[in-house]
């Protein structure tokens, strides 16, 4: 069962080494089937070049395993929390991609500095607050999801317009319409994170003009978009 | 019709991933046939590995589509404006290549710091002023072309001697004798942008000697050039 | 004799160019067979693409050659000293991988800045003191081992919880359960060294929370670990 | 004639793209046959993937062409000057490899910061003074050679112990026992240039201990060397 879902999730996970977003097994992608209330996710600690469709784990929204022999990703509770709250998303991704992780370790938002950023993210990529010692000790992965959602709510950020976040001291999480789209956004995040590091070195404090951010974001998103073929 | 023109433009666009100048579809190359008053350009948002000769769009200098089923690049009006004003150029390129984009985001010229730069660019690579909110809202892509031309005129720069520009907050545009030459210049731009970032970190404010800039530029360009086989 | 040991050591050494940890012959991996009291190690100065199983040198813990025609790595005495003192380790590695070497040249510990680090190393990666002129002149490679051990003892670091070290002015050494595991740790070290360089530029002085370090380290190590499939 | 010499020089030039030392045609390698008083050198401006043995140009020490249809490298006079003065060298190389060029553009020596450097270079890699306007205008390439030699003489540097130099505002030149050895040294130079950039950012002013420099250099060079198999 859920073969097509598992195949899509397998394919999305195989894009992680292809786009050089991971070292060893440091990343995972999932996709939700909202009609059936199930999520397909990478098994924990399995190298990408060994992954098969059967290895992909099917769980429900309580984290109960529905199908598969392997343990799901240790980050599974974070994925579930995001799916529960961000009801329009279809795929979730977590990596330790180098440049995004650097910003997360520094505990800083990735500022919107140019149109490359604006083409995909309508504003700064937020970095969460630190988790409290209690949040770390008990239900750490669940609380990682909660602190992401708290940050979006606190700042009143539209999670569909900024489909990535940095978890302070940890690394990036992201999402999209489906697993493939989540990976796409993670590739963009990594590139703009690299550009932002060096831009800040050249000209600290510079920001993109609001009008240019608007122009590029809405050139590709929403009802007046005119980029691409549709 | 225009098959050879479209094949050259296809080949030039395929060089973008080959030279690692692009992520996803973030770049486009065009070439003009001035005798026939037409431009061949990449279609908007189509991945390079899916591009075929038939996908290349033929437009006239008013932006009217002459041939092709797809929408031309969203940056088409910028290309046209450059072809109209810079009458000696035959190819135009736009990318978000990492290091050149970093300088554009910082809103800074790439200073001429060494002979690698001088072999191709006779002076600093200019960064344009910011577009005004009105220029962004109305005819953005056309105004991007106009602000490039304004910068070259204001500074009295010979566009054939400095075949690249940074659009502030956005990224590089460039040109050349034809589409292939425009790509060649974009590869050089990306390399000197990377070198300049680190050179500035080591020794801020250093510049190339004017005599060395002259020597290297004119060793490869103009009637006394003696580099190469011709 | 020792064919399987030599094959494992050959395979581990071939991972050095695969993971881009080496230029030319700048790295070596060994593995110990504690039951037989022998170590298999790369021969000195032999390119990886020329290495065969027979080229791997077998020595005893006095450094006496037991099997093989070639000279063992010039760093052999450092390997031996580590095996003698760190009795639980099964493999040792030395490289000049770029980012770890940068920290070693700077004479600085790699601070624990995020969960990528915490997943593998329970705290800062220590940088040794400088060797004295006498320690350099006489028995240099042996003294390199001794100064590593001194640093772990002085700071009371568990060598199994922090399986890497930087030798000041030189570069990284590391270890693991066997040769393959030592290489694995060296790949992680290189990645966190790169991340730490840029994190420090963004936010000098930031450190990972102790509770987050604990959580991630013990999520993957020890009796309560729950990462992976076992 | 000189077929083997030309084949060695072809092979050495093909290593330039292999080791990622060049963009387009930005590098050249030569080798001298001192018995016959001839030098084999890359032709000017020819892409490496088009080079054949017959394309390699044979010149004498006056720069007169002995064999070949193509123009020799525009840097030929620099090569000749180095061969004439540094009588023990057999190969010369020039590239614009990124990190070495960064130091040259900054007009700074590459300081000896670690054993990676010390294994190949017995001290800082010198950066020349700037050429005077007259030296640039008349016999530029010859004067580039002269200013290199002046720097080694002025500082009393043994050119065999430091087989590379940075020409201020330009880039690296280097040499070795033969063409292949010159390329080898250029690869090392590029790696230590990259390491030195980041080491300086972490800990400006740090230097390698003299005793460690001695130890590593003489571990691989001279009559007491014990690295490798001979």
């Amino acid at each position: 069962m859920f073969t097509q879902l598992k195949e899509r999730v397998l394919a999305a996970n195989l894009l992680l080494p292809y786009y050089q977003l991971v070292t060893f097994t440091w990343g995972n992608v999932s996709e939700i089937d909202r009609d059936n209330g199930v999520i397909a996710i990478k098994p924990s600690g399995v190298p990408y070049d060994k992954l098969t469709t059967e290895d992909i784990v099917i769980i429900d929204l309580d984290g109960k395993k529905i199908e598969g022999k392997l343990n799901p990703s240790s980050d599974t509770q974070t994925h579930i929390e995001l799916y529960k709250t961000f009801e329009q998303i279809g795929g979730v991704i977590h990596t330790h991609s180098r440049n995004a992780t650097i910003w997360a370790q520094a505990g800083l938002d990735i500022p919107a500095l140019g149109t490359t950023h604006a083409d995909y993210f309508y504003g700064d990529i937020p970095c969460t607050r630190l988790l409290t010692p209690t949040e770390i000790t008990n239900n750490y992965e669940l609380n990682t999801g909660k602190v992401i959602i708290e940050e979006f709510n606190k700042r009143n950020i539209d999670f569909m317009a900024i489909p990535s976040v940095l978890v302070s001291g940890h690394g990036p999480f992201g999402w999209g319409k489906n697993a493939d789209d989540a990976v796409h956004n993670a590739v963009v995040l990594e590139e703009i994170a690299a550009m932002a590091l060096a831009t800040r070195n050249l000209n600290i404090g510079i920001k993109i003009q609001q009008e240019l951010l608007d122009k590029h974001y809405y050139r590709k998103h929403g009802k007046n978009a005119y980029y691409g073929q549709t």
Side-chain angles (χ1 to χ4, degrees), chain A:
Chain A
M1 280 180 69
F2 308 114
T3 304
Q4 289 184 317
L5 178 65
K6 290 194 285 189
E7 283 173 350
R8 284 199 304 275
V9 168
L10 173 65
N13 276 284
L14 296 183
L15 290 175
L16 299 182
Y18 176 80
Y19 285 119
Q20 302 185 275
L21 294 175
V22 288
T23 302
F24 296 127
T25 60
W26 306 353
N28 44 71
V29 190
S30 68
E31 186 170 303
I32 192 166
D33 173 342
R34 292 199 182 265
D35 291 336
N36 288 297
V38 296
I39 295 163
I41 193 164
K42 181 180 177 292
S44 183
V46 178
Y48 305 98
D49 59 2
K50 297 276 196 302
L51 270 188
T52 65
T53 306
E54 295 76 48
D55 293 335
I56 302 298
V57 186
I58 301 288
I59 52 169
D60 67 18
L61 279 149
D62 296 320
K64 214 187 101 199
K65 199 195 291 185
I66 302 298
E67 210 180 281
K69 293 183 192 148
L70 301 172
N71 301 332
S73 164
S74 56
D75 301 303
T76 295
Q77 290 299 329
T78 314
H79 289 242
I80 292 176
E81 190 64 16
L82 294 174
Y83 284 122
K84 281 183 176 169
T85 308
F86 295 166
E87 295 184 357
Q88 294 153 272
I89 69 177
V92 170
I93 184 169
H94 171 51
T95 78
H96 290 234
S97 70
R98 186 182 288 184
N99 291 291
T101 302
I102 286 163
W103 285 93
Q105 291 191 160
L108 298 175
D109 297 354
I110 301 177
L113 300 182
T115 62
T116 318
H117 185 121
D119 280 335
Y120 289 86
F121 297 96
Y122 188 56
D124 299 350
I125 314 292
C127 184
T128 68
R129 67 165 171 82
L130 293 171
L131 274 73
T132 65
T134 308
E135 288 170 338
I136 291 171
T137 309
N138 302 315
N139 300 313
Y140 169 65
E141 291 82 5
L142 173 65
N143 288 326
T144 297
K146 287 189 183 299
V147 83
I148 292 170
I149 293 157
E150 177 192 315
E151 200 69 36
F152 276 68
N153 287 341
K154 188 173 64 185
R155 304 202 203 182
N156 201 26
I157 299 172
D158 175 359
F159 62 86
M160 291 306 280
I162 300 190
S164 292
V165 68
L166 306 176
V167 176
S168 193
H170 187 162
F173 280 80
W175 45 86
K177 287 173 302 203
N178 49 42
D180 185 74
D181 191 45
V183 176
H184 192 99
N185 290 335
V187 173
V188 177
L189 176 69
E190 179 60 9
E191 183 62 23
I192 63 172
M195 285 179 177
L197 279 173
T199 303
R200 192 179 179 279
N201 271 354
L202 271 184
N203 193 344
I204 199 168
I206 200 164
K207 296 278 290 182
I208 194 173
Q209 294 162 279
Q210 183 64 42
E211 294 85 358
L212 192 57
L213 179 70
D214 289 346
K215 178 67 190 181
H216 269 262
Y217 187 75
Y218 289 114
R219 195 168 85 151
K220 292 189 82 164
H221 301 85
K223 67 183 192 316
N224 295 319
Y226 58 91
Y227 181 94
Q229 298 301 328
T230 48

